[in-house]
Each structure stands twice: as C-alpha cells, then as structure tokens.
Amino acid sequence: MHSVTLARGLKAAGFETIVCGEATRNLARLWTEAASHGLQRTRGPIGYWRDCSERERFQHQHDAASRIIEDIRPDLLIVPYPWPDSGAGIACAAVEADIPVISIFHLFRPNAELSPFMGAQLRKLADAGEPLIAVSDVVADALSSSSGIPRRRFSVIRNGVYVEEQYLSLTEEKIEDNKLRLLEELGLPPGSIIACTVARVDAQKGYLDFVQVVKEASAKWPRVHFLWVGDGPDMKNLKQQLVDAGVATRVSLMGWRDDPLRFIATSDIFLQTSHFEGLSLSLLEAARLKKPIVTTSPGGLEIIAPNRSHLYVEQSGDCSAIAESIVQLSSGPALRRLLQRNLSELTSELSDEVMVEKYAVTLRAAMDRGLMTAKSPVAVEPIFFCTNSMTTARALTVSKNYLNESLCPRLFIENCASISSFDGALNYFNNAVDLNDCNLADVLGDLSAEQKPLCVSFNYLWPRGMLRSSISLPAATVRMRL
C-alpha cells in the first residue's frame, strides 16, 4: 500500500502518476485503493514473484519494464523493492532507456548477503547516479554492508501511512460500540481484550513465536483474545500449530481482508512478532490510531519512540517477555491510556503528507538532473560548489536556478552540517565529492586551468571578497551566477 499512498500524494502535489502492477490477489487491495483515489492504472506481468532463478527473475522484470517504458514513455520511474531482487531489473531497464529512476528499498535482513549478481546490479544503479532510498536506517545499513555501495549513497525516507478520516475521527464511545459488535461477531464475551496482528503468514513475521506468546499470555490473563489479520503461504501450518499448542480457541484467524484498519481501530493492543522489518506499515497505522503496541521489530522504530513511554519493544524470539507485555497491557487500562496519550504527540510525524513532501523534492531533483544530462552531448567544465551547511532544499534551488545549463556538474561539498546534506546532494549530481576532511585551497590547486570552477559558493551569502581571499583564486576565475 506504500505505492498507492505515495502515488496519491504525488498526484495531489501536481505529478501525473500511473500505477503499474500485476493483477494478482495479493494486489487486489492496491487496485481497489488506486481506483478509489482516481489514479491511472495499468496491469500486466512485472516478474516480482516469478518462481525461477534470480537471473531469470531479473530478466523478466527488465523485459516487462522495457515494454512499459515503450508504451508509456514516463518522465521518471519509481520502483518499490519488497526485496532487493524484486525491482532491480525494472530500474536497470530505466537506466538503459535514459529515464530517471528512484529505487525504494523496503526490506533487507541485517547480516543478509546479496548474491554477487544482484550486488553488481545495484552498484550499476549507484554508479549511474540514480537515487537509492531506504525506508529506515536498518535497511540502508544492511544494503550498504552487503552491496559495497557507500552508506552515504542511500537516503532514508521513512514510511508514512494514509489512514481514512473515518478511523482517525473515531471517539472512545464509537470505538467501544464497534468493539462490542466485533466481540459479538467473534462469539466473545463483553470485557474481552483484543490483541491484533496484521501481517502475512510466513516465517519472517514470526508466526511460531506468535503461537507461543498466545499460549503464555492467555494462561496468565484468560480475558485476552488474539486476532491475526492476513493470509500467506504458512497459514495451514499456523492453524495446526495453534491446535497442537491447545490455543486454537484463543485466536481468530481472519484471513486476507480489504479492511484491516477496521480491526486495528477496534482492538485494544497491536502485536507484532516479526523477526525483522524495514518499517512496518501496519505498525505505523496502529501508531496513528494511537493503539498500545508490543513489537519485536527494530526497523525504523526511532520514528515512533525508543522507550516504553510510547510502545513496548521486546527481543525477537523472547516469547515470555512478549507475553508478559501483553499481560501488563491487558490487565492495565490506565497503562493503555497512557500509551495512547503519548502516541498522540507523534502521529503527525507518521503521516503520508510528511513522506510525500520528501519524495516530491527527490522526484523534482531526479527529473531536473535527467533534463540537465540530456541537454547536450558536449562535456563542460566541472562546477565547484561549496557551502558550509547545505540542505536538500538549498541543493534543489541551486540545481534549478544556477546549474541547469551544465552537463553532469562536478560537485564538492565542504563542512556539511549533517550526512543527510551530502545524501541529498547525491540525488541531484552524478559525481559529488565530500571535502569534509580536505583543505579547500589544496583541492583547487590540484585542478588544471581548464578544470577551474564555473561557480563557487562559500555560504548562503556568497561573499565574493572573502571567498577569493580564502582560496587564493584570481577574480576572473570566480564567475558567480547571481
């Protein structure tokens, strides 16, 4: 659903967007949501999940993307990667067609290893200067370590979620009424506590741990009842494990639903037993709905809070600790209300508007760079652009207002206030060089006469006199575009 949320937001920001995907059951909710927001859609094979070798899957993606590019001729492609080998073929096809492409990596397990082939494909994208975006620092760190791509080449734009107003505006009385109806639907007595999980049923989501948590928590607090909303390849095994553990009656398996927010909004607790995550969308939805959360996932949780004033984070696999957290929240209505109040302070940071605004800046920069590099086949002098504290917004302004006439400018940055400044610059320019540990005059002294900069900036005020004296350049060399 991240793709539809992003597409909807970008459309509202003035971009013409088309959602491309396969007509599968797993994407049924995507197509429904896309249609409800008036998004253009095109369905066809993309090759994300083909049961074949990694190279064959890459080729399927490449061929499918080439056909889409030929049919639509987009100005830019956005490729979400549910896993690193699910999307690289599409992105590489865009590069070959000289179309800017933004790769968004949603998931990669820490300490996992990319194959040599897939690592090489991702490095091609990095070498081409295309934006590489991860949804959390955990994903960016893992991909950088495995691929050999410098960490600074990965920007982090954390997921945001769109939650319908009908759920955000629910009063406590309405939530209680909805819960009573759900309890009646499930055949449960009034006063039951509902702990809800929304996830695929597969090993990554820790469903075997979930079974053990149910067993331990329900033994200590019989009033708690668990929901699992979602389907997956291991559903049959989950059902059997619940029977074998003697807790099948303690869990309602809801299967695949197109209204998961209904169950999150009605529950008392949100439970996640994943072994690893990028930044879970269902967890963010629960946080926006101010539901007390018990989770095992470290991926991106710094966006919510690192301590128990906002949510409970337990070690993956520590079923006893997870169960104890469920018991504490189930038996403590005051504690649940405290967590709800604390989460209400953070909900604006989790919204889709915050996420879309960041992507819109990246899109405009990538499209500007595509136009800039396509303008002329003739090489020009490198541009040297230096600033004490460069922000992404400033980089975009300079790119659009001063550097559009140049081809593949060479960018140097000194004294960046934060690493995000340099990450932002890399989204706009092919070959940036970090000067944080270099002497400015020494670097300029190494440039030949034909490599002297077209444009030099020292800070936002662009003080010409101080600039020339500090780097010992003749006035004629410093040609400011003001």
Side-chain angles (χ1 to χ4, degrees):
M1 296 312 298
H2 176 275
S3 298
V4 171
T5 299
L6 181 56
R8 182 191 61 82
L10 292 175
K11 179 186 177 184
F15 293 90
E16 181 181 355
T17 58
I18 302 175
V19 178
C20 303
E22 300 190 3
T24 64
R25 181 170 178 264
N26 290 336
L27 294 180
R29 185 185 174 201
L30 180 146
W31 293 118
T32 301
E33 287 287 326
S36 69
H37 295 299
L39 296 171
Q40 296 185 58
R41 295 156 293 153
T42 177
R43 305 189 193 195
I46 292 179
Y48 269 27
W49 307 114
R50 287 185 178 271
D51 186 16
C52 56
S53 71
E54 184 177 70
R55 288 175 182 267
E56 290 173 324
R57 188 159 52 250
F58 175 90
Q59 194 61 50
H60 283 305
Q61 295 165 20
H62 182 282
D63 294 345
S66 297
R67 289 191 294 271
I68 291 171
I69 290 169
E70 185 176 351
D71 290 343
I72 300 176
R73 298 307 304 171
D75 296 307
L76 179 141
L77 254 62
I78 301 176
V79 183
Y81 292 65
W83 195 256
D85 66 354
S86 297
I90 299 172
C92 287
V95 170
E96 292 173 13
D98 292 326
I99 292 177
V101 57
I102 295 176
S103 295
I104 305 174
F105 298 94
H106 285 269
L107 192 63
F108 193 58
R109 184 174 61 249
N111 302 317
E113 292 293 332
L114 290 170
S115 70
F117 172 76
M118 193 51 57
Q121 305 314 311
L122 297 187
R123 287 192 294 274
K124 286 180 184 178
L125 297 175
D127 292 343
E130 303 298 341
L132 305 177
I133 295 174
V135 300
S136 68
D137 290 298
V138 169
V139 174
D141 292 345
L143 278 171
S144 174
S145 175
S146 183
S147 67
I149 298 171
R151 173 62 178 81
R152 64 190 184 190
R153 278 294 282 113
F154 290 93
S155 301
V156 173
I157 299 181
R158 294 178 177 86
N159 289 336
V161 289
Y162 170 74
V163 176
E164 291 93 334
E165 184 60 30
Q166 63 172 310
Y167 296 114
L168 290 175
S169 61
L170 286 172
T171 63
E172 290 187 14
E173 293 78 11
K174 186 63 175 176
I175 291 173
E176 188 60 31
D177 287 343
N178 291 344
K179 181 183 172 183
L180 287 173
R181 282 196 291 271
L182 179 61
L183 292 177
E184 184 178 357
E185 178 184 328
L186 298 174
L188 298 173
S192 297
I193 299 297
I194 297 179
C196 178
T197 296
V198 177
R200 291 187 322 277
V201 184
D202 66 14
Q204 179 221 332
K205 300 299 183 179
Y207 72 90
L208 294 179
D209 291 346
F210 172 82
V211 173
Q212 185 62 30
V213 169
V214 171
K215 183 176 181 178
E216 295 188 26
S218 57
K220 294 180 179 180
W221 193 257
R223 286 172 53 196
V224 64
H225 187 82
F226 295 82
L227 304 183
W228 187 297
V229 181
D231 203 348
D234 293 334
M235 175 61 87
K236 183 177 179 180
N237 191 39
L238 172 57
K239 291 179 179 179
Q240 187 60 52
Q241 292 293 328
L242 290 170
V243 171
D244 293 346
V247 292
T249 60
R250 299 289 188 179
V251 180
S252 295
L253 299 176
M254 309 307 296
W256 184 89
R257 303 293 294 251
D258 61 3
D259 58 346
L261 286 177
R262 173 201 169 200
F263 298 96
I264 297 176
T266 308
S267 64
D268 300 288
I269 303 165
F270 181 84
L271 169 63
Q272 185 179 69
T273 56
S274 299
H275 292 164
F276 60 95
E277 290 282 352
L279 182 53
S280 167
L281 296 177
S282 59
L283 185 145
L284 295 181
E285 289 170 338
R288 285 208 69 187
L289 292 170
K290 300 185 285 292
K291 294 299 174 181
I293 295 169
V294 179
T295 180
T296 56
S297 168
L301 290 185
E302 66 278 2
I303 192 176
I304 300 178
N307 55 61
R308 290 196 173 202
S309 65
H310 295 87
L311 75 168
Y312 281 24
V313 183
E314 306 295 354
Q315 184 69 34
S316 176
D318 191 346
C319 299
S320 296
I322 300 168
E324 184 59 35
S325 294
I326 293 291
V327 170
Q328 287 184 27
L329 289 170
S330 297
S331 59
L335 180 58
R336 294 199 301 272
R337 287 194 294 270
L338 174 62
L339 264 64
Q340 288 173 329
R341 287 196 299 271
N342 291 341
L343 280 170
S344 65
E345 303 169 0
L346 302 169
T347 53
S348 62
E349 293 299 314
L350 313 178
S351 71
D352 57 319
E353 289 92 346
V354 173
M355 175 189 72
V356 169
E357 181 180 352
K358 294 177 181 178
Y359 274 107
V361 172
T362 302
L363 259 68
R364 292 190 181 100
M367 293 172 73
D368 284 348
R369 185 172 64 80
L371 293 172
M372 186 163 47
T373 57
K375 250 184 177 181
S376 169
V378 181
V380 299
E381 297 174 88
I383 287 181
F384 177 60
F385 175 68
C386 171
T387 173
N388 270 7
S389 179
M390 182 177 182
T391 64
T392 298
R394 181 61 181 172
L396 179 60
T397 300
V398 172
S399 170
K400 293 179 67 174
N401 295 346
Y402 300 107
L403 308 183
N404 274 350
E405 297 176 10
S406 303
L407 175 67
C408 297
R410 191 174 186 189
L411 174 71
F412 295 86
I413 304 174
E414 185 187 39
N415 298 331
C416 289
S418 67
I419 193 64
S420 62
S421 301
F422 192 64
D423 290 342
L426 284 171
N427 288 336
Y428 308 140
F429 303 95
N430 273 333
N431 47 344
V433 178
D434 191 356
L435 290 184
N436 275 341
D437 297 322
C438 302
N439 181 281
L440 186 59
D442 289 345
V443 172
L444 285 177
D446 291 337
L447 296 176
S448 61
E450 61 272 15
Q451 290 178 311
K452 291 302 182 183
L454 288 176
C455 179
V456 181
S457 169
F458 191 73
N459 62 19
Y460 292 170
L461 299 179
W462 301 46
R464 304 186 189 205
M466 182 182 72
L467 178 64
R468 288 200 296 272
S469 62
S470 66
I471 60 178
S472 303
L473 282 178
T477 304
V478 184
R479 293 177 284 176
M480 310 299 292
R481 297 185 179 182
L482 296 176

